[in-house]
């Protein structure tokens, strides 16, 4: 998860699942493994006590996330698409006002106008 190319703004989440159920996870904001269920808790305890495993996970954040966030930020997040705008006048139902101006915007990125 990232919102800039800065590594400090990157949130690296790594998880292990079996049959679509997560049993072990690592979160760069927490800095250690967290186990869910007995098997995951045993492995989390073992990996959290091994400085090589924790340093490898921190290195993974830098190796994987830093490079990819720069690529994705440049190629996707900095791009924009001009909107297609349609402006027309219409008579509202109920007839309290003679006309209503309707502005419709389509096909643009990012979604904020």
């Amino acid at each position: 998860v990232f919102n800039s190319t800065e590594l400090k703004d990157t949130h690296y989440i790594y998880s292990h699942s079996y049959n679509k159920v997560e049993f072990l996870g690592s979160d760069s904001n927490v800095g250690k493994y967290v186990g869910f269920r007995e098997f995951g808790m045993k492995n989390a305890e073992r990996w959290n006590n091994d400085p090589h495993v924790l340093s490898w996970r921190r290195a993974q954040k830098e190796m994987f996330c830093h490079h990819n966030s720069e690529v994705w930020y440049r190629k996707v997040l900095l791009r924009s698409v001009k909107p297609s705008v349609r402006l027309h006048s219409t008579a509202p139902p109920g007839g309290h006002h003679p006309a209503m101006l309707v502005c419709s915007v389509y096909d643009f990125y990012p979604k904020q106008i």
Side-chain angles (χ1 to χ4, degrees):
V1 179
F2 65 97
N3 60 10
S4 80
T5 57
E6 295 294 320
L7 194 58
K8 65 179 177 52
D9 295 332
T10 303
H11 188 155
Y12 180 54
I13 301 167
Y14 179 83
S15 67
H16 289 261
S17 300
Y18 180 75
N19 282 342
K20 299 181 183 180
V21 176
E22 183 181 22
F23 65 88
L24 180 74
S26 172
D27 183 327
S28 64
N29 288 356
V30 175
K32 65 178 186 174
Y33 287 91
V34 176
F36 312 103
R37 299 178 185 31
E38 184 180 353
F39 179 70
M41 292 188 315
K42 285 180 183 178
N43 281 288
E45 181 180 353
R46 183 170 51 94
W47 290 354
N48 286 332
N49 289 323
D50 186 338
H52 298 295
V53 172
L54 293 176
S55 65
W56 171 250
R57 186 57 53 211
R58 283 190 294 275
Q60 284 280 296
K61 176 183 175 181
E62 187 166 343
M63 289 185 316
F64 181 77
C65 297
H66 188 61
H67 168 73
N68 287 308
S69 67
E70 286 180 356
V71 171
W72 280 93
Y73 199 82
R74 237 183 8 259
K75 299 286 184 187
V76 178
L77 296 178
L78 290 180
R79 293 182 182 237
S80 63
V81 177
K82 290 185 178 181
S84 167
V85 178
R86 181 173 173 239
L87 191 61
H88 67 277
S89 178
T90 185
H96 294 322
H97 300 284
M100 192 167 57
L101 192 59
V102 177
C103 178
S104 302
V105 183
Y106 305 97
D107 303 322
F108 59 93
Y109 182 86
K111 290 188 172 191
Q112 296 83 6
I113 298 178

